[in-house]
Every structure is written in C-alpha cells, then in structure tokens.
Amino acid sequence: MSTDTLDTLGPEGLPHMDNPSLPYLRGERIPHIWCPGCGIGTTVNCFTRALGEAVSDLDKVAIVSGIGCTGRVAGYMNLDSFHTTHGRAIPFAAGLKLARPEMKVVVYSGDGDLFAIGGNHFVHAARRNMDLMVVCVNNFTYGMTGGQLAPTTPEGASQTTMPFGNFEKPMSLPFLADAAGASFVARWTVFHVRQLTRTLREALGKQGFRFIEILAPCPTLFLRRNRLGDGVDMVRVYKERSKIRDGADTKDVDLGMDGDIIVGKFVDRERPTWLQSMNAHYQQVFGERYRPWGGVREQD
Amino acid sequence: MSQDKPVRQAKGTVFVRPEVCKGCAYCIEFCPTECLGFSEEFNAKGYHYPVLKHPEECTGCGLCGLYCPDFAIFGIRLKDIPQAASEPPVPPKAG
C-alpha cells in the first residue's frame, strides 16, 4: 500500500501531525495482520509509549519474539528485533543478553509460545533471574493455528480441540513466575492502558527477570467460539470484572470464565541477576585471576 | 440563566488515519467524554472509521490514541500543537 493512502485526517487549519507511536514502528508494515478487535495492537501501543518515556537510545533495546500472533510484534517494532523458533524466545534472548549485557532485552510473546512449548525455558530463566523483561500477551488460546486448547484456557471454555468445554485447570501465570523466583510480576488487561504503560515504563528501568502478563481479547477464535461478543465487549467485561490489588498474593489471582480478575503489580523484589551472581561467585573462587564479564570487548 | 447548558470549548482534537482503521470501536467506547462516533463513509477496506461527532467535548486526553490497536487515531491537547494553540479547530467532515 502506498504511503499516500495512509494520510492523516486532521482538523482543517491545523498543521499535519503524525501518530506518536509511528517512530517506534516499521511504518511500511502497518496496517498489521491482527484482526479487528484484537488487543495485541493496544499492548504494542502502550509499549511504544513506555519506550518513548523510559529509553533515550533505541539502539540499546532489542526485542525478541517467538511464534504466534503476538510473535509478530518483533517484526513491527523499529528496534533490533529477533523472530525466533517456537517457544525458544527466552533462550535466544538470554544468549543475546549475556553476549551484550549493556542492552535491554525484551521478550514479547504469547501465552502458548511462552508457557506451552516454552514453559521450561520460562521457569529456568526466572529461577536464574536472567536480566530479561518478559511481556506475555495472554489471549487464552492459540490464535494463529486455529483456536486449540492452551494451558491458560479457563475451565469451561470451548476450544476446537475441547469442543465440549475445557475440564483442565489452567495455569496461573503470575503464580508460576513468582514461585520460580521472578523479581517483578504484574498483570494488567487491555482496558488498563495508563496503568499498563506506567508498569512497562517501570519494568524497563529495572533489573532482573521482569514478567508482565497482559490479558487481551481474541475476537476471532476465543470470543466467537464461546459467544462472548466482539473485542470491545470483552474489554468492557474486563472493566467490570477487574479489581486492582497491588501486592496481592499470587496464589489468589487465578482466572476463570467469570469471577474477579485481580490485576496490579504483585511482586517487586531485589535479587542479584545471573550475571552478577556469576561474577561475584567466580571472584570469590579465583580472586584476582578472574576478570568479570561486563560485555565490553577489548577490540572494540 | 443558571439552567442554560454551559457552552463548552474544545481543549483538544483528534487526528485519524482512516485507511489503517479496522473499526474495532475501542476509541469510541472508552472515550471519557463520548465525543467520538463512527463515520458515515467507509474506508477502502470497508470499515467505518472514527470521527469527532462532538468536537467541543474533546479534552485532548489522548486515551483514544492509547487504546487504538491499529495506530490509526491519536488525541492531543490544542496547546500542545505547534503554532496553532490559539486558533479554534474546524471539525473534520463527518461523512
């Protein structure tokens, strides 16, 4: 599509202005492929605003995605980006972070990618407190492959591989992250755009394993199959059902088809990152002989 | 006199890119002053895009721009627009 057709329609008599998110996006790839009413675009919108407020040099930020609808975020962001194999976004990102520790590395992926096929990597990265920021857009289903049962699908929901309703207990993502040792855990929905932007900005400025879950509607598969209306209807439901409880015990934040959605910043604690622990340990063991790894190469 | 509706003056406005809008209605639903509505016209993909139905109600809070999943709309306060702070805005044609 030529850029002429993407002109901005503004009030007459005012100077032309561009969308403030556009400098952070690859403009030639917009419009994106996400369905009308999908919440992933809203999360990206909040992320671009947070980037603008928290980061001065975009060359120092890298974004890594896995496979899936949310996995396409890396392709739309105007950052150093990496679209990895299915479920392996966190190992790729950990390697990137350890080779270039001065960079901020953000993993942006979906619930199926991070917790079904990549669940093991998530647990171990949180246990080691790898210095990564993991943003998980949870839409309760596998969107790109046709609405199969995901580990986050609530009990009672119908899916293409569970047509008579789901009887499995879903995974509570903040509880898992907290139990595995993440240093920052938060959950927001697509309705809470201001709070989400603030939390993303705060997490970008922190160290350690930071996990942010964002609930987003999937209108094409999850909502239509369960007769929950359109994307905007689900966001209205988020508005009615969500209760903000900062510091809530992550044992109590399970999600169901009805009942409260507990949102907020649950965990914020200081732990040494993996690289800090390694340097401290080997300095203790080898003393002067050990040169701590800070990522600056001598030939540069 | 006291029962007259106070005349509101626009404090902000919105800019829309109609051709990237997918008509999801997030901006219209969650506008705090309910000043947005669907256009009468279609864009090239067949969606109705948002227009300012009540320009005098817009406060320029920018929430529509934060909700938009398609980067198609954003709101701005008039005093934040360069070189146009004092001019009253003319609303875009509502189809």
Side-chain angles (χ1 to χ4, degrees), chain A:
Chain A
M1 190 180 278
S2 75
T3 49
D4 297 337
T5 55
L6 299 180
D7 270 352
T8 309
L9 192 70
E12 286 170 31
L14 290 180
H16 173 83
M17 294 196 72
D18 272 331
N19 195 301
S21 295
L22 283 186
Y24 305 97
L25 300 167
R26 299 182 192 194
E28 74 280 5
R29 306 198 67 181
I30 306 290
H32 51 61
I33 63 150
W34 296 316
C35 309
C38 174
I40 300 173
T42 304
T43 70
V44 176
N45 206 334
C46 297
F47 183 63
T48 60
R49 307 296 172 104
L51 268 182
E53 293 167 11
V55 177
S56 54
D57 186 5
L58 291 184
D59 287 342
K60 295 286 178 209
V61 185
I63 183 163
V64 183
S65 283
I67 300 296
C69 289
T70 320
R72 295 189 65 92
V73 170
Y76 293 124
M77 297 296 296
N78 192 12
L79 301 168
D80 290 340
S81 58
F82 200 3
H83 195 188
T84 69
T85 47
H86 197 1
R88 316 298 173 218
I90 289 178
F92 279 92
L96 177 59
K97 177 70 195 177
L98 296 181
R100 297 288 298 273
E102 75 278 10
M103 292 193 81
K104 284 182 195 296
V105 182
V106 182
V107 176
Y108 210 112
S109 208
D111 56 316
D113 183 72
L114 280 173
F115 289 93
I117 188 162
N120 183 29
H121 302 304
F122 180 88
V123 171
H124 288 284
R127 174 179 66 83
R128 292 172 176 141
N129 204 21
M130 277 288 169
D131 194 4
L132 302 173
M133 172 169 158
V134 178
V135 181
C136 173
V137 180
N138 182 0
N139 56 10
F140 307 109
T141 187
Y142 287 94
M144 191 166 270
T145 51
Q148 288 84 0
L149 184 85
T152 47
T153 306
E155 279 178 276
S158 166
Q159 300 278 261
T160 48
T161 50
M162 200 66 102
F164 304 108
N166 176 26
F167 54 84
E168 295 178 4
K169 187 166 169 50
M171 205 181 251
S172 173
L173 307 185
F175 186 37
L176 178 71
D178 185 14
S183 56
F184 183 93
V185 180
R187 174 199 273 160
W188 294 107
T189 75
V190 162
F191 171 71
H192 302 90
V193 280
R194 292 253 191 245
Q195 295 93 326
L196 174 61
T197 308
R198 198 181 60 221
T199 300
L200 288 169
R201 187 181 65 213
E202 189 185 343
L204 275 169
K206 282 186 177 292
Q207 280 203 322
F209 192 87
R210 295 144 283 167
F211 174 63
I212 297 147
E213 180 190 12
I214 310 169
L215 306 186
C218 176
T220 309
L221 290 159
F222 188 79
L223 300 189
R224 188 169 62 178
R225 195 168 175 88
N226 290 288
R227 301 187 189 283
L228 293 170
D230 211 344
V232 70
D233 298 319
M234 194 63 197
V235 181
R236 209 180 292 128
V237 170
Y238 289 154
K239 179 183 176 181
E240 289 157 8
R241 282 173 52 193
S242 58
K243 302 263 186 305
I244 298 180
R245 277 196 211 127
D246 285 331
D249 192 340
T250 50
K251 277 183 212 154
D252 309 328
V253 299
D254 286 358
L255 294 174
M257 287 298 277
D258 41 27
D260 289 349
I261 298 173
I262 311 290
V263 296
K265 192 174 80 177
F266 301 137
V267 177
D268 188 1
R269 59 188 164 208
E270 292 285 326
R271 274 183 70 205
T273 66
W274 189 84
L275 207 54
Q276 287 168 345
S277 306
M278 185 189 79
N279 281 333
H281 178 69
Y282 284 142
Q283 265 173 337
Q284 203 180 357
V285 174
F286 297 114
E288 288 296 310
R289 283 187 295 152
Y290 180 71
R291 283 173 56 225
W293 170 240
V296 183
R297 289 163 293 182
E298 281 180 7
Q299 62 266 33
D300 287 350

Side-chain angles (χ1 to χ4, degrees), chain A residues 191 232 235-236 239, chain B residues 25-33 63 67:
Chain A
F191 171 71
V232 70
V235 181
R236 209 180 292 128
K239 179 183 176 181
Chain B
Y26 279 18
C27 53
I28 296 167
E29 174 71 27
F30 297 112
C31 174
T33 60
L63 209 58
Y67 272 111

